[in-house]
Amino acid sequence: MKSTRKWTLLTVLFLLLGLFVVACGGGAATEEEPAADDTTEETADDEAMDDEAMDDEEAMDDEEAMDDDEAMDDEEAMDDEEMMAFEPMSVAADSCDYGGKISSIEAVDELTVVFNLCKPDPAFLAKIAFTPFGIQPSEYIEATGGTGDILEQPIGTGAYMVDEWVRGDSVIYKRFDDYWGTPAVAETAVLRWSTEGAARLLELQAGTVDMITNVSPDDFEAVEADPNLQLLPNVNPNVLYLAMTNTFEPFDNVDVRKAIAMGIDRQRIVDNFYPAGSTVADYFTPCSIPNGCTGDVWYDFDAEAARQMLADAGYPDGFETAIYYRDVFRGYLPEPGLVAVEFQTQLRENLGIEAEVIVMESGAFIDESTSGRLDGFYLLGWGADYPHVTNFLDFHFSSENPQFGDPHPEIYEKLLEASTIADVDTAAPLYEEANNAIRELVPMVPIAHGASADAALASVGNAYVPPFGATSFQLLDPGKDTLVFMQNAEPISLYCTDETDGESLRPCQQVVETLLAYQTDSGATQPALATECTGNEDSTVWTCSLRESVVFHDGSHFDANDVVASWAAGIDASNPNHVGNTGSFQYYSYLWDALMNDSGE
């Protein structure tokens, strides 16, 4: 543009000079019509064009300036969107006066979550690896309100996602191709169930299933002798107990409970109904768990002394009651119907107690028994979720658990104190006092620690049974596109934030992952959705760093808010998504001592 203006000015000067020469030249002065000056018109046109070019340049400059401004605005908007995209969530108790272990859970940034505890918890890392503390998308929890669709269609980050739950038949899984870790071997996994051990074994022998849980004790030798099968011992610590609820008569009388404790021949039950390797339970907690077997051993069987104690308590002729159970084969309770009848026989013969045997649907039984609403005896047991004595004692005998009726401060106060002590030897005297109080107050009668085993086709690769948690379907190699796994019963629901039953926890574990996970051969934890969780000096603040680029089954991206929302639905009684299946959220309540913000209504 600058060079164009220069030539235009020269042209104008040249024309003016030419006019001046003509005007001053030697010819006669004659008046003539001036001829049209093409040069001048061209110059004007050039100037006009030059003005337009200047306008164009200015317009271009303006456009470039506008583009720069818009680009800056867009960049700033993108920065704003990124900043606005993550608004950290948190959940907190009003204060630690509520009695629970968790003060607050906070999302610091997209990939950092901090757990603030009211008191130390040496089992923190082991607990958070447990399936009920699994993570689902915050948006999905909000959309479902913590109930409804989420009960049957969980959305997790696991190697499998739920394709369909065919009620009464099976749960069908599809491999999740965007899984962050090692992908599942089989494209499809099918979970089926049967309450009868013999029926499960027949299906395995026929090849219609690839792996089964809980081989019947009588079938151990047959499986071991079959070259087409492999027996998989289960070393999960467990206990069967005969329970009573002390808010019902005559179980409100401690001498009645003691008489029952002495009047049951537990050795006879183990000898007749359990496989080799099973033992009579001298304590509620198996001895493989540190501090499980401190204190005095349980009462010896003495029918005569038991009958006399029952008479002294006001029941010389016994009384009438019921024995409730669910028809689900478990490692701690093989052949539950036969064992229930054995208890009925012993109560009649040893104590004069007439007990009607009543079988209940599994979900209803779990809900009624653990809520303390069964008027009578009931058969229930426990398999270890993580390798710490708090898993057995704190869950069952905490001040928050109504299962056995009114809780006993002689037990739970010692447990509360012991649960904050990391050193096993330092905590031992407190656990000794707690175990002795359990023996003295008899909230239940520990019966047996059962040996058990699963089985699989010999052709299934990587078949295993972990000591804690459930077998991960993704690791099993059936040698074909579809894996079929058969367990003892149908799940109650697939929202395991509000479930305690092993037949529900297993299918949940395939879909929903936790911050940490148990190793396949021990109770040690390893990274899962968190790459690490580190505690401060007194173990009251735990910071978890989350794994990047993890995707949920619905395509949403995993972040710290999903952790907070998932935990808040379970631990915060005032949270609008604290609904679930039963509404009990027992693991959150008992393992963390209490639900926060619980009005008690």
Side-chain angles (χ1 to χ4, degrees):
M1 292 291 292
K2 290 181 179 178
S3 60
T4 303
R5 286 198 196 93
K6 180 179 179 182
W7 285 108
T8 301
L9 289 172
L10 290 173
T11 302
V12 170
L13 289 173
F14 177 77
L15 291 173
L16 290 174
L17 180 61
L19 291 173
F20 178 76
V21 172
V22 171
C24 299
T30 54
E31 292 184 10
E32 293 182 2
E33 187 106 5
D37 192 336
D38 292 337
T39 306
T40 303
E41 288 180 4
E42 288 174 4
T43 302
D45 289 341
D46 285 345
E47 290 178 344
M49 290 176 65
D50 192 51
D51 290 338
E52 287 178 8
M54 290 177 65
D55 291 339
D56 288 341
E57 179 179 338
E58 292 173 358
M60 287 176 66
D61 290 340
D62 290 340
E63 285 182 10
E64 289 174 2
M66 289 177 64
D67 288 344
D68 289 341
D69 289 339
E70 288 177 4
M72 290 177 64
D73 290 342
D74 288 343
E75 185 174 352
E76 290 174 0
M78 288 176 66
D79 290 341
D80 289 342
E81 283 182 13
E82 288 179 1
M83 292 177 64
M84 292 175 60
F86 186 79
E87 297 180 2
M89 296 171 57
S90 65
V91 59
D94 290 337
S95 74
C96 286
D97 293 341
Y98 82 102
K101 282 192 171 78
I102 296 180
S103 171
S104 67
I105 307 170
E106 304 171 359
V108 176
D109 55 44
E110 287 186 89
L111 295 175
T112 309
V113 177
V114 174
F115 292 80
N116 296 296
L117 306 188
C118 295
K119 46 198 169 186
D121 187 350
F124 178 82
L125 295 179
K127 288 180 181 179
I128 66 171
F130 186 31
T131 299
F133 307 121
I135 311 304
Q136 297 200 51
S138 58
E139 299 85 357
Y140 187 55
I141 295 171
E142 185 71 26
T144 61
T147 189
D149 289 347
I150 203 170
L151 302 182
E152 297 193 4
Q153 193 76 31
I155 292 177
T157 55
Y160 280 111
M161 53 186 177
V162 173
D163 184 47
E164 184 181 11
W165 182 356
V166 182
R167 285 284 186 175
D169 181 77
S170 60
V171 178
I172 302 170
Y173 302 88
K174 292 295 183 184
R175 183 169 56 205
F176 181 45
D177 292 333
D178 291 327
Y179 182 54
W180 60 267
T182 303
V185 177
E187 180 179 348
T188 302
V190 179
L191 176 69
R192 294 175 52 206
W193 44 85
S194 175
T195 59
E196 298 296 328
R200 292 193 299 276
L201 181 57
L202 283 173
E203 293 238 27
L204 185 66
Q205 291 169 329
T208 53
V209 302
D210 299 293
M211 184 169 173
I212 63 172
T213 60
N214 296 110
V215 177
S216 294
D218 292 342
D219 293 325
F220 275 36
E221 292 183 4
V223 172
E224 289 182 302
D226 191 333
N228 297 314
L229 305 179
Q230 51 182 318
L231 189 71
L232 305 167
N234 186 346
V235 296
N236 175 250
N238 64 66
V239 64
L240 169 72
Y241 56 87
L242 178 67
M244 302 158 278
T245 304
N246 65 31
T247 50
F248 296 103
E249 295 182 359
F251 305 114
D252 57 343
N253 187 323
V254 66
D255 288 335
V256 170
R257 301 197 300 269
K258 283 184 180 179
I260 293 164
M262 291 188 290
I264 299 297
D265 187 348
R266 297 173 297 143
Q267 188 66 59
R268 173 173 148 177
I269 293 172
V270 171
D271 290 344
N272 291 338
F273 301 99
Y274 283 77
S278 302
T279 60
V280 169
D282 287 328
Y283 301 85
F284 185 80
T285 308
C287 294
S288 60
I289 302 292
N291 282 332
C293 296
T294 59
D296 299 330
V297 298
W298 201 253
Y299 302 96
D300 291 331
F301 170 59
D302 189 335
E304 184 176 348
R307 187 181 285 271
Q308 184 60 53
M309 180 170 283
L310 191 62
D312 293 344
Y315 298 91
D317 300 319
F319 54 88
E320 293 184 359
T321 186
I323 300 175
Y324 298 93
Y325 76 99
R326 58 174 181 158
D327 192 18
V328 176
F329 190 120
R330 301 303 301 271
Y332 57 73
L333 181 55
E335 309 299 348
L338 297 178
V339 175
V341 171
E342 171 66 16
F343 275 107
Q344 179 188 48
T345 301
Q346 288 203 30
L347 288 168
R348 180 189 301 117
E349 293 178 351
N350 301 339
L351 294 162
I353 297 173
E354 289 294 335
E356 178 187 5
V357 174
I358 299 175
V359 61
M360 295 179 64
E361 185 274 327
S362 181
F365 172 79
I366 293 294
D367 187 24
E368 292 294 302
S369 63
T370 58
S371 299
R373 294 194 292 263
L374 290 181
D375 183 359
F377 298 103
Y378 60 90
L379 300 182
L380 196 52
W382 189 257
D385 304 308
Y386 57 88
H388 197 278
V389 66
T390 55
N391 182 231
F392 282 84
L393 298 186
D394 290 27
F395 183 90
H396 290 89
F397 305 111
S398 77
S399 61
E400 299 295 312
N401 192 344
Q403 177 178 350
F404 304 123
D406 295 329
H408 301 284
E410 300 93 328
I411 302 173
Y412 68 71
E413 287 177 356
K414 299 301 179 184
L415 295 178
L416 279 173
E417 186 178 354
S419 70
T420 65
I421 301 172
D423 183 71
V424 172
D425 293 334
T426 304
L430 292 168
Y431 284 115
E432 180 178 349
E433 291 185 62
N435 279 330
N436 285 343
I438 291 170
R439 182 183 185 276
E440 182 65 24
L441 295 166
V442 195
M444 50 78 241
V445 180
I447 302 298
H449 303 307
S452 66
D454 294 356
L457 296 175
S459 59
V460 174
N462 304 324
Y464 78 106
V465 182
F468 299 95
T471 300
S472 291
F473 296 170
Q474 72 186 88
L475 302 179
L476 304 180
D477 183 359
K480 55 186 188 300
D481 291 338
T482 300
L483 167 76
V484 183
F485 190 102
M486 178 171 276
Q487 66 177 21
N488 307 337
E490 184 168 11
I492 297 171
S493 89
L494 296 182
Y495 184 43
C496 285
T497 299
D498 187 31
E499 296 295 350
T500 62
D501 181 54
E503 274 67 42
S504 297
L505 299 182
R506 177 181 287 105
C508 287
Q509 183 182 310
Q510 316 307 323
V511 176
V512 178
E513 295 181 299
T514 46
L515 294 176
L516 302 177
Y518 303 116
Q519 294 181 7
T520 58
D521 59 353
S522 73
T525 58
Q526 61 187 10
L529 291 181
T531 56
E532 65 174 356
C533 291
T534 58
N536 64 349
E537 186 174 349
D538 66 355
S539 299
T540 57
V541 179
W542 292 88
T543 302
C544 294
S545 301
L546 307 184
R547 193 176 297 276
E548 296 185 55
S549 304
V550 174
V551 179
F552 284 105
H553 299 155
D554 63 355
S556 61
H557 289 267
F558 164 68
D559 63 31
N561 281 346
D562 301 312
V563 178
V564 175
S566 297
W567 276 75
I571 195 71
D572 183 5
S574 68
N575 188 286
N577 301 318
H578 184 77
V579 182
N581 181 31
T582 68
S584 298
F585 297 91
Q586 292 181 18
Y587 278 119
Y588 281 87
S589 176
Y590 306 157
L591 295 185
W592 305 109
D593 289 352
L595 297 175
M596 62 173 61
N597 306 316
D598 189 355
S599 64
E601 297 178 359

